[in-house]
């Protein structure tokens, strides 16, 4: 990946990638792996970007896809008995802000798709954009978000 | 008053330290190690497979009454195992302490060297293995039964040293063609088994070359 492309096309959107990768990883090591893989995939797939959506929207979609794929691979590789309990895996030092750590902890308890939906909601994406990125219809996005919020509020308290 | 989820999210990312960008550093190293480990493992399995197959053939040849053909096939396949083993040993001489690009490049060169050696080897071994195998079948009990039936049905069959010419010609033709086209046959075989890994290796090298520009 040329450093020029990274600096101009990826780095300004690094916040998006970081926020998404954090929601799909439990350790700093995994987070760095996912981040790097997303960057690599953006660079590899840059020619397939058709400008039908904003570059940032495309990055959201690609980041979510990479994270979901990575997560599936990881699940296949690790037999359930190999996994440590969630509380051991979760890296509590991810953010200095304790409330944010708590929120991320609760987000990680959601299903893979719900995590994506809610992250996009928190990023102030419209229902239409969320549906486009996730690849679903807008009908149940609102209901889904309300349900997720209720669950998160319960888990955070 | 408790903060809402939206506020926690918004405030959490106000400070820049929440969004520290990780360094892009170790990914290529990890991928290089991963791909080479997989290829080495597959080579090893392949060599063991050929070795086991040669032993099975040897044992079977005694049962069907063609021990000489069996021994010959065993020796020819053992040569493949020996060359493979020697080549595997050479991988260890690649300097693992060099950077991942150099390591991958050295591995790629080693691989190309292996393909050249095996292509030459198969140029001789494909025809010889084929001829040995057919001779073995021909000289076996079953071969004898089939030959007797053919001779009874076609008594005017032209023979050289007791072998029908109609059998010699196609066998020699196939043997010659397999020798001439040993390269493409071997590469097809190689691509079937290792194609996906070779592609990954190539992609990784291209990525790294682009990075170095």
């Amino acid at each position: 990946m040329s450093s020029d492309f990274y600096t101009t096309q990826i780095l300004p959107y690094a916040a998006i990638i970081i926020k998404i990768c954090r929601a799909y990883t439990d350790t700093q090591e995994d987070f760095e792996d996912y981040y790097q893989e997303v960057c690599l995939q953006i660079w590899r797939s840059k020619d397939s970007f058709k400008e039908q959506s904003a570059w940032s929207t495309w990055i959201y979609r690609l980041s979510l896809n990479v994270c979901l794929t990575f997560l599936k691979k990881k699940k296949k590789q690790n037999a359930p008995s190999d996994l440590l309990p969630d509380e051991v895996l979760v890296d509590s030092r991810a953010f200095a802000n304790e409330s944010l750590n708590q929120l991320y902890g609760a987000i990680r308890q959601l299903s893979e798709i719900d995590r994506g939906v809610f992250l996009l909601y928190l990023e102030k994406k419209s229902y239409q954009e969320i549906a486009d990125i996730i690849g679903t219809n807008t009908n149940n996005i609102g209901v889904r978000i309300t349900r997720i919020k209720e669950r998160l509020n319960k888990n955070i308290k | 008053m408790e903060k809402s989820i939206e506020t926690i999210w918004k405030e959490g990312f106000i400070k820049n330290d929440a969004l520290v960008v990780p360094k892009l550093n170790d990914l290529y190293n990890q991928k290089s190690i991963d791909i080479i480990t997989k290829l080495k493992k597959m080579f090893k399995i392949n060599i063991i497979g050929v070795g086991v197959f040669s032993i099975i053939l040897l044992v079977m040849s005694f049962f069907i009454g063609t021990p000489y053909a069996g021994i010959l096939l065993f020796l020819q396949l053992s040569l493949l195992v020996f060359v493979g083993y020697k080549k595997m040993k050479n991988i260890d001489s690649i300097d693992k302490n060099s950077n991942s690009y150099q390591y991958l490049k050295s591995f790629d060169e080693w691989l190309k060297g292996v393909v050249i050696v095996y292509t030459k080897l198969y140029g001789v071994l494909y025809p010889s293995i084929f001829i040995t195998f057919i001779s073995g079948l021909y000289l076996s009990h079953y071969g004898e039964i089939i030959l007797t039936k053919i001779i009874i049905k076609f008594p005017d069959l032209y023979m050289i040293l007791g072998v029908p010419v109609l059998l010699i010609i196609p066998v020699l033709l196939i043997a010659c063609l397999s020798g001439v086209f040993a390269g493409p046959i071997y590469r097809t075989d190689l691509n079937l088994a290792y194609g996906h890994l070779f592609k990954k290796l190539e992609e990784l090298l291209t990525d790294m070359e682009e990075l170095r520009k």
Side-chain angles (χ1 to χ4, degrees):
Chain A
M1 191 188 318
S2 65
S3 57
D4 189 39
F5 178 80
Y6 180 68
T7 319
T8 58
Q9 300 296 317
I10 299 182
L11 214 47
Y13 303 92
I16 296 173
I17 308 169
I18 291 172
K19 286 172 184 174
I20 292 177
C21 291
R22 281 275 179 222
Y24 286 92
T25 54
D26 301 315
T27 65
Q28 183 65 19
E29 199 188 349
D30 276 355
F31 163 70
E32 286 174 13
D33 276 354
Y34 279 46
Y35 177 85
Q36 293 186 92
E37 189 60 29
V38 170
C39 292
L40 201 65
Q41 285 302 331
I42 292 172
W43 174 70
R44 275 192 185 145
S45 317
K46 62 184 188 293
D47 296 331
S48 65
F49 173 63
K50 301 276 187 264
E51 294 185 24
Q52 284 164 345
S53 60
W55 177 249
S56 61
T57 307
W58 190 73
I59 288 184
Y60 272 113
R61 187 181 297 134
L62 203 135
S63 305
L64 280 168
N65 283 339
V66 171
C67 287
L68 290 170
T69 311
F70 246 50
L71 213 59
K72 264 185 205 160
K73 270 189 197 170
K74 205 181 160 191
K75 274 184 185 171
K76 268 187 192 170
Q77 282 166 0
N78 297 324
S81 55
D82 295 339
L83 288 170
L84 293 168
D86 283 350
E87 56 271 27
V88 179
L89 281 170
V90 173
D91 189 347
S92 58
R93 296 161 300 157
F95 301 105
N97 185 320
E98 194 44 46
S99 306
L100 189 60
N101 275 327
Q102 248 188 323
L103 176 58
Y104 258 108
I107 289 174
R108 283 190 203 102
Q109 306 293 320
L110 298 172
S111 76
E112 287 148 20
I113 299 296
D114 279 357
R115 276 184 246 185
V117 170
F118 201 67
L119 284 172
L120 293 168
Y121 161 76
L122 288 172
E123 288 295 291
K124 298 196 186 313
K125 294 281 166 197
S126 69
Y127 287 0
Q128 185 59 55
E129 279 178 297
I130 296 174
D132 285 347
I133 293 171
I134 298 289
T136 180
N137 54 47
T138 49
N139 296 347
N140 64 350
I141 295 284
V143 181
R144 202 166 184 166
I145 289 169
T146 312
R147 194 166 35 84
I148 296 169
K149 270 172 86 172
E150 280 169 8
R151 200 175 153 197
L152 288 177
N153 276 321
K154 209 190 288 175
N155 286 349
I156 291 170
K157 276 170 194 169
Chain B
M1 199 181 109
E2 277 188 38
K3 288 177 188 173
S4 70
I5 290 171
E6 290 84 348
T7 315
I8 295 172
W9 186 258
K10 198 179 163 190
E11 287 180 356
F13 290 107
I14 288 173
K15 281 190 179 177
N16 282 335
D17 63 354
L19 292 169
V20 178
V21 178
K23 282 180 187 167
L24 290 173
N25 49 16
D26 209 33
L27 184 67
Y28 288 105
N29 272 335
Q30 286 171 21
K31 288 198 164 187
S32 307
I33 292 165
D34 182 55
I35 204 164
I36 291 179
T37 310
K38 274 185 190 161
L39 275 167
K40 277 165 79 173
K41 197 176 161 190
M42 282 182 79
F43 278 133
K44 203 173 167 185
I45 292 171
N46 200 0
I47 292 171
I48 294 170
V50 175
V52 170
F53 181 63
S54 68
I55 294 168
I56 293 172
L57 270 181
L58 181 66
V59 175
M60 271 177 63
S61 69
F62 279 90
F63 282 107
I64 60 167
T66 55
Y68 296 115
I71 292 167
L72 264 174
L73 276 174
F74 174 75
L75 290 175
Q76 287 169 105
L77 292 173
S78 296
L79 180 67
L80 279 179
V81 174
F82 177 74
V83 172
Y85 177 74
K86 278 278 185 197
K87 287 285 165 194
M88 279 288 288
K89 281 268 170 200
N90 287 349
I91 304 181
D92 297 332
S93 65
I94 298 174
D95 184 12
K96 289 190 183 77
N97 295 321
S98 55
N99 64 49
S100 51
Y101 175 73
Q102 285 301 338
Y103 183 49
L104 220 55
K105 197 82 186 151
S106 306
F107 184 80
D108 191 48
E109 276 160 21
W110 169 85
L111 197 63
K112 281 174 183 153
V114 170
V115 172
I116 290 170
V117 169
Y118 268 111
T119 304
K120 284 179 185 167
L121 197 61
Y122 278 124
V124 179
L125 281 183
Y126 278 148
S128 70
I129 288 175
F130 181 69
I131 290 173
T132 313
F133 186 75
I134 296 294
S135 308
L137 282 180
Y138 181 77
L139 295 170
S140 69
H141 306 309
Y142 308 104
E144 220 170 285
I145 295 166
I146 293 167
L147 184 66
T148 313
K149 279 183 182 172
I150 290 172
I151 289 170
I152 291 168
K153 207 169 184 185
F154 306 100
D156 298 332
L157 214 57
Y158 189 68
M159 315 259 271
I160 296 175
L161 297 169
V163 185
V165 174
L166 276 176
L167 178 68
I168 296 175
I169 293 171
V171 167
L172 285 181
L173 192 71
I174 293 172
C176 286
L177 287 174
S178 68
V180 171
F181 295 106
I185 295 171
Y186 173 55
R187 274 192 290 276
T188 308
D189 178 34
L190 208 60
N191 278 330
L192 280 174
Y194 304 101
H196 65 293
L197 284 176
F198 288 165
K199 203 177 160 199
K200 271 189 185 175
L201 180 68
E202 201 181 309
E203 275 176 10
L204 206 56
L205 272 168
T206 315
D207 279 1
M208 291 168 103
E209 270 157 13
E210 181 106 349
L211 242 176
R212 288 164 70 88
K213 276 178 192 168

